[in-house]
Amino acid sequence: MSATPVVSQVDSYNREKSQLITPLVGASVAELTAWVQQQGQPAYRGKQLHEWIYQKGVRSLADISVFSKQWRTEIAEVPVGRSTLHYRTVAPDGTVKYLLQLADGQIIETVGIPSDKRLTVCVSTQVGCPMACDFCATGKGGYKRNLARHEIVDQVLTVQEDFQQRVSNVVFMGMGEPLLNTDNVLAAIKSINQDIGIGQRSLTVSTVGIRDRIRHFAQHHLQVTLAVSLHASNQALREQLIPSARSYPLVDLLAECREYVEITGRRVTFEYILLAGLNDLPEHALELAKCLRGFQSHVNLIPYNPIQEVDYKRPNRDRIQAFLNILKQQNIAVSIRYSRGLEADAACGQLRASKRG
Ligand code: SAH
């Protein structure tokens, strides 16, 4: 007979078991049902677990009061997969920036953006970002790793709980390049859609463009919006701002975007940061219009948000308006997106997982 006390036997059993299990957040009813059945429990426990994870926001399985005491003790160590709040700050416009700590200690940023009836969450897909775009704070801090499915889904649950309001929209525009982490992003989209219940049309994935990945993404025939960070109207300018443009030229990117439209029947959103004196001249607007002629697309102009390391400038309102007007005259669908959360360093391009920029 073993001399090991029962409690620590249970502990080591749990530790071994939990290593075999990926964290539960992000799992579907079917996956959770299969898991509870593996544990010798009846199938309906899967539905209960699903409800506790996505609706009640349980952080430890030990707290699920509808489960028997004994089973709860057994599964207490199984990771639910929730992050812990490291820091939270509110900008004067109501935008909330969260620094969330992951199980391995890494920190990511998430932003909650309330407006009228909407609550939009801007989620990160990587810790840091390897793309190193010159105007973006995230790239300045380097790249650590991809986020797992549960780490992406957790961000939506966290904002939903904090606001005590249902999230209406999710934009994959936080730290990282989503299409370098396509599998986990696709899995997270599925869960956000089916488990949290947010319509695919209310989700937007933003990419700087990775060769072949836009086509691959299109082949999943999702209803989500694809946003492509263009930022330049010609190859030379784009290379200057985005290092990866050298190996993946603008013509190739635009060709792949056209394929996306053909495959999905959905238009593409093009994001274009306006940098004073650099890419905001009338000739750039005309050049951009030429690139996009006959293209089922929408242009989102994003006035540059300042970051410390570089001295780009945001154009004044007249210049922004002039750029917009030229595109409109050229029959390009276009709008201006003034980022929220500027004062909390929570705006587009300012996310660097630190308390201040
Ligand atoms: N890697 C993805 C998603 C993250 S960035 C992408 O590049 O699309 C989300 C958006 O914010 C992108 O369009 C990005 O180019 C933009 N952005 C980055 N830095 C910015 C800044 N300083 N000011 C305004 N927008 C910025």
Side-chain angles (χ1 to χ4, degrees):
M1 212 177 92
S2 162
T4 323
V6 173
V7 174
S8 75
Q9 272 177 14
V10 170
D11 275 357
S12 63
Y13 160 87
N14 283 333
R15 263 198 299 276
E16 271 168 34
K17 270 202 155 177
S18 63
Q19 274 163 14
L20 300 175
I21 300 162
T22 51
L24 301 180
V25 166
S28 63
V29 181
E31 283 173 87
L32 293 174
T33 302
W35 182 73
V36 299
Q37 286 180 311
Q38 261 171 34
Q39 310 282 314
Q41 296 290 321
Y44 72 88
R45 295 274 183 225
K47 242 192 177 152
Q48 288 178 323
L49 184 52
H50 190 269
E51 191 188 318
W52 279 77
I53 290 173
Y54 296 104
Q55 285 166 39
K56 299 197 198 287
V58 79
R59 287 171 175 269
S60 162
L61 297 188
D63 296 336
I64 304 185
S65 55
V66 290
F67 291 169
S68 75
K69 262 221 162 101
Q70 195 204 326
W71 190 43
R72 270 152 67 189
T73 319
E74 279 175 31
I75 58 175
E77 301 285 319
V78 172
V80 172
R82 297 300 309 268
S83 63
T84 53
L85 182 63
H86 178 71
Y87 180 75
R88 175 186 185 278
T89 183
V90 187
D93 67 5
T95 298
V96 182
K97 162 169 135 169
Y98 306 84
L99 298 187
L100 303 178
Q101 186 158 34
L102 308 175
D104 63 354
Q106 296 288 352
I107 291 188
I108 54 164
E109 285 204 22
T110 304
V111 184
I113 310 157
S115 65
D116 293 344
K117 288 186 190 114
R118 287 188 178 188
L119 174 57
T120 300
V121 181
C122 177
V123 296
S124 293
T125 54
Q126 297 183 312
V127 183
C129 184
M131 303 310 294
C133 300
D134 201 39
F135 44 80
C136 178
T138 305
K140 303 290 176 200
Y143 167 72
K144 295 274 170 25
R145 66 172 175 85
N146 275 335
L147 293 186
R149 172 179 75 172
H150 69 275
E151 292 168 330
I152 301 173
V153 177
D154 162 76
Q155 298 172 59
V156 181
L157 292 175
T158 297
V159 175
Q160 189 155 279
E161 282 163 21
D162 185 45
F163 275 82
Q164 297 276 301
Q165 181 188 337
R166 282 189 69 80
V167 167
S168 59
N169 299 73
V170 178
V171 295
F172 290 71
M173 295 186 184
M175 304 172 84
E177 169 45 51
L179 294 192
L180 288 177
N181 187 15
T182 312
D183 289 350
N184 291 330
V185 165
L186 286 168
I189 287 173
K190 186 170 172 235
S191 175
I192 291 167
N193 177 220
Q194 295 179 3
D195 303 313
I196 302 184
I198 304 171
Q200 283 191 15
R201 285 168 193 272
S202 305
L203 312 180
T204 300
V205 174
S206 177
T207 179
V208 73
I210 308 290
R211 193 185 286 282
D212 297 331
R213 300 281 171 98
I214 290 177
R215 185 183 310 106
H216 173 234
F217 192 76
Q219 282 155 356
H220 287 83
H221 292 283
L222 300 173
Q223 304 276 300
V224 306
T225 299
L226 180 73
V228 176
S229 292
L230 215 53
H231 307 326
S233 53
N234 63 61
Q235 174 64 14
L237 199 51
R238 197 160 191 269
E239 276 185 22
Q240 200 181 320
L241 301 170
I242 302 170
S244 64
R246 275 170 231 147
S247 57
Y248 186 37
L250 184 59
V251 278
D252 294 356
L253 171 62
L254 288 173
E256 210 175 316
C257 290
R258 281 179 204 276
E259 278 188 60
Y260 176 89
V261 175
E262 277 164 29
I263 297 170
T264 62
R266 301 182 63 79
R267 69 179 186 178
V268 174
T269 297
F270 288 109
E271 294 161 288
Y272 192 100
I273 296 185
L274 287 168
L275 303 160
L278 200 73
N279 69 354
D280 69 334
L281 307 177
E283 68 219 51
H284 296 124
L286 287 169
E287 201 172 31
L288 179 63
K290 218 169 145 193
C291 288
L292 302 183
R293 186 135 306 133
F295 207 127
Q296 230 181 296
S297 66
H298 183 96
V299 175
N300 239 323
L301 300 175
I302 314 170
Y304 168 70
N305 299 315
I307 65 166
Q308 258 170 20
E309 291 89 343
V310 284
D311 59 2
Y312 296 123
K313 296 264 177 319
R314 172 187 282 208
N316 64 35
R317 289 212 174 223
D318 289 350
R319 286 285 277 273
I320 297 170
Q321 198 58 44
F323 199 93
L324 175 91
N325 290 342
I326 295 174
L327 289 176
K328 279 189 173 162
Q329 280 156 16
Q330 298 290 317
N331 287 321
I332 303 290
V334 57
S335 50
I336 303 177
R337 186 175 84 203
Y338 280 98
S339 309
R340 305 270 308 274
L342 205 59
E343 296 85 349
D345 283 320
C348 300
Q350 296 185 311
L351 307 188
R352 60 170 86 236
S354 74
K355 295 180 185 175
R356 286 301 302 182

